[in-house]
Amino acid sequence: MSWYRNTVWFVKGLREYTRGGYESASKRFDPADVEVDVAGRSFLVTGANSGIGKATAKEIARRGGTVHLVCRNKERAEVAKEEIVTETGNQNIFWHIVDISNPKEIWKFAEKFQNEHKLNVLINNAGCMVNNRELTEDGLEKNFATNTLGTYIMTTALVPLLEKAADARVRQQVVLTEQWAKTYRNIHFSVMHPGWADTPAVRSSMPDFYERMKNSLRTEAQGADTVLWLAVSAEATKLPSGLFFQDRQPVPTHLPLAYTHSPPEDEEKLMEMLEEFSRKFKSVSPGI
């Protein structure tokens, strides 16, 4: 009976991540939550030239926000900007070329950005799914460098700028979000799961999964919906900082029976290690 219950839960859980799960959840959404004017507010979106990042940037632009696209590739960044400007009529779209797997580049970018712009909302969307072990030029494993260390540096480097803004917000990985929420009380941190969306990253990094699930995957806009809600809605900040969201609702950060909890001392050690790494690369970055 226990095996049966777990199997039923697992199948139910799978459905929640699909297009059908989104369509079911969206019946309780209040459209007014995201029908807001964010003119005058500044948003930075990493990994913004495709997928969920571009979909998020486009929806923010529709609402009048100033959007900074952080991308690795200049040509793709220019194409994404042109598309967003054309579709939304918003001219306040800017691109910046940064490799999120390169700590020195992030520090250099953040220092320049702080001197030239304001920032209300940081959306750490950039990530990678490298299936074979790859090292960056700094000798870091690429998934760690991009998804964890890069995100840590981008956020901590821009915290001073965010602290100057009213209603400042950030979103990213679970443990980092929980720890930052404890440290920076005047910034609202949140993290979300987009469900399984049909994005270039999924198609290239998970081809077998994509072939099996392509008819059930969410659209990029559906995957970006909760990101947009967290970034612009007043309702999001009525909830505590540091929560994990799916389809505009806070959800548990650990699956039942998954045994994925980490002891507090391990989480503290992670943050200390990331801080040590980040300072090491800051000290060797030119101009900082």
Side-chain angles (χ1 to χ4, degrees), residues 163-238:
E163 288 189 312
K164 297 176 183 177
D167 188 20
R169 311 185 192 188
V170 180
R171 80 151 206 75
Q172 220 335 293
Q173 295 179 351
V174 175
V175 172
L176 298 185
T177 295
E178 292 173 340
Q179 295 298 316
W180 282 326
K182 297 174 186 176
T183 304
Y184 304 108
R185 300 290 185 174
N186 59 336
I187 301 174
H188 195 272
F189 289 86
S190 50
V191 61
M192 59 79 68
H193 194 302
W196 295 331
D198 188 348
T199 65
V202 169
R203 292 195 291 271
S204 62
S205 300
M206 305 171 67
D208 294 339
F209 171 82
Y210 174 75
E211 283 302 315
R212 289 196 302 271
M213 298 295 296
K214 60 183 178 182
N215 294 326
S216 300
L217 296 178
R218 299 180 177 200
T219 66
E220 292 175 346
Q222 289 171 342
D225 177 81
T226 298
V227 186
L228 177 70
W229 183 81
L230 290 168
V232 306
S233 77
E235 293 302 307
T237 52
K238 292 178 182 178

Side-chain angles (χ1 to χ4, degrees), residues 9 174-175 178 244 251-262 267:
W9 174 87
V174 175
V175 172
E178 292 173 340
F244 176 44
V251 295
T253 56
H254 300 276
L255 298 175
L257 305 179
Y259 304 105
T260 54
H261 293 265
S262 302
E267 295 183 359

Side-chain angles (χ1 to χ4, degrees), residues 235-278:
E235 293 302 307
T237 52
K238 292 178 182 178
L239 295 163
S241 181
L243 298 182
F244 176 44
F245 291 82
Q246 182 180 337
D247 292 331
R248 304 192 189 183
Q249 289 287 318
V251 295
T253 56
H254 300 276
L255 298 175
L257 305 179
Y259 304 105
T260 54
H261 293 265
S262 302
E265 55 268 27
D266 284 358
E267 295 183 359
E268 291 172 8
K269 187 175 180 180
L270 170 65
M271 299 302 284
E272 290 171 2
M273 180 197 71
L274 291 172
E275 180 64 16
E276 183 179 334
F277 266 117
S278 72

